[in-house]
Amino acid sequence: MDRLRRIWEFVMLAELAAFNAAYQTVKATVQAGREIASCAQSIGTMVQSKDDLHKKLQKKKNSPFSRQVETDLEEFLALEDIKQAEKDLELLMVYTGRIGLKDDWLKYQAQARKARKDAERAAIKQREELMENIGLAFSIVLAFAGVVASIYGLGVYMGKW
């Protein structure tokens, strides 16, 4: 369990480090006088890291093997850091971006989050259909083999082969 906890802490720190590095890039870009649009890739990294961290937290919370008391404070503080950085990013958008950029960003984030969830559901459905088709194919092959074996056994029994 201790090893599992260390792995989890490493994963959480890796996601948080990716988020913070991307945020620092955005901040440095804006402070250098460039437009916020020039660091879209870093903003995308921030969003992806945040989503990955949330998914991993949900997976960990749903795990029967996790001991939540030990890392709850660490997780809470990591999420608070992310919330603060997002607020700072929104302020950067308000003060350095075009009019309405923050509102457009929030709408876009909601749409992108919905699209990712829809894609995830579609992938799960596709995987289930694939497994069902594999099971059906296996059943057909097994039934065919059973028929062939029965015919052969009947032929041997009757002395034809």
Side-chain angles (χ1 to χ4, degrees):
M1 275 306 210
D2 192 41
R3 183 177 180 181
L4 186 64
R5 190 178 133 228
R6 280 193 217 133
I7 291 171
W8 162 247
E9 288 174 356
F10 176 75
V11 168
M12 187 176 78
L13 289 174
E15 294 298 333
L16 190 58
F19 181 90
N20 285 332
Y23 174 69
Q24 292 302 325
T25 301
V26 171
K27 193 173 173 182
T29 300
V30 172
Q31 286 176 346
R34 294 180 28 211
E35 289 188 18
I36 201 162
S38 65
C39 53
Q41 185 176 5
S42 295
I43 293 173
T45 302
M46 288 174 61
V47 171
Q48 188 63 44
S49 296
K50 177 188 171 193
D51 287 348
D52 289 347
L53 186 60
H54 275 290
K55 283 180 189 175
K56 289 173 183 170
L57 284 172
Q58 279 304 113
K59 189 182 250 187
K60 181 181 172 250
K61 286 180 182 177
N62 294 335
S63 171
F65 303 110
S66 68
R67 296 186 298 187
Q68 293 182 349
V69 177
E70 297 175 355
T71 57
D72 280 347
L73 180 62
E74 294 168 357
E75 293 167 9
F76 173 76
L77 292 175
L79 292 174
E80 284 300 309
D81 286 345
I82 288 175
K83 283 180 187 176
Q84 185 59 46
E86 285 180 328
K87 287 179 183 176
D88 292 345
L89 177 63
E90 290 172 5
L91 285 175
L92 286 173
M93 287 181 178
V94 168
Y95 293 121
T96 64
R98 65 173 170 75
I99 295 174
L101 179 64
K102 176 188 163 194
D103 295 331
D104 291 346
W105 166 247
L106 294 176
K107 286 178 193 173
Y108 174 76
Q109 256 190 316
Q111 290 171 348
R113 193 174 299 116
K114 185 176 183 256
R116 282 192 300 270
K117 283 184 181 182
D118 290 345
E120 191 175 316
R121 284 188 201 114
I124 289 171
K125 184 178 179 183
Q126 185 178 15
R127 197 174 316 124
E128 288 173 353
E129 288 175 358
L130 177 66
M131 294 305 288
E132 186 177 316
N133 290 339
I134 289 172
L136 181 63
F138 181 73
S139 298
I140 290 171
V141 168
L142 195 61
F144 181 73
V147 168
V148 169
S150 297
I151 291 172
Y152 178 76
L154 187 62
V156 168
Y157 177 72
M158 295 180 86
K160 301 284 182 182
W161 284 310

